[in-house]
Amino acid sequence: MISAPSGAGKTSICREILALLPGLRQSISYTTRAMRPGERDGVDYHFVALDVFQRMIGDGAFVEWAQVHGNYYGTARAILEEASAEGADVLLDIDFQGAEQLRRSGLSGVFIFILPPDMEELRKRLASRNTDDEDVIARRLANAAGEIAEAVNFDYLVVNDVFEQAVEMIWAILIAETARTDRMIDTLPEEFGLK
Ligand code: 5GP
């Protein structure tokens, strides 16, 4: 799980991490947000109407969902179940509310929060993104303080000052996590007598 206030560079970092770790799957979320220029349905998100999203909530189709910046976002239960059945790892780019729901559900995951170096840099990055209207930028900046306050609930904090270093840090965390005793134990030979 990777969370961050918008503008912290999470989308670019996730893209790079997916390229570095080919075995890692991407969870494509459902959202009611309008498509941004350059985005593709079924690639960046599954873009759906509000009534479709609400029906999916009712059907229990989401393992977590949340309202973020006035739109709904959710992770499909099917994606995680399929990956779990196949023993694959999944990268989730979700907000702190979704991460909190998954943490509470006892999901065995690695919770990483990306921070901007400071608030001024966050404002600059949001403004230079050029994909959102002024009021959207203002709303996202206003929400950022509340989002950052949630960082203490995550396993790891990564400051995205120098992009390549932030990517390297997250890559190192994910690699190290695969060597944790509780994850390794089931993969070892019976003859070690460790199971
Ligand atoms: P954006 O609209 O900029 O793509 O995303 C806005 C926020 O929604 C980001 O913080 C992103 O992580 C979060 N988000 C994207 N997909 C999901 C999801 O499936 N569930 C939750 N809870 N948040 C999501």
Side-chain angles (χ1 to χ4, degrees), residues 10 29 33 36 45 64 66 73-75 93-95 98 140:
K10 180 176 42 148
S29 296
R33 160 165 87 59
R36 293 192 188 123
Y45 283 103
E64 65 73 31
Y73 297 82
T75 303
D93 166 347
I94 59 177
D95 89 312
R140 287 178 176 230

Side-chain angles (χ1 to χ4, degrees), residues 53-71:
F53 196 97
Q54 284 169 332
R55 196 164 57 238
M56 290 180 75
I57 294 175
D59 292 344
F62 296 124
V63 68
E64 65 73 31
W65 63 270
Q67 213 177 343
V68 189
H69 314 305
N71 294 299

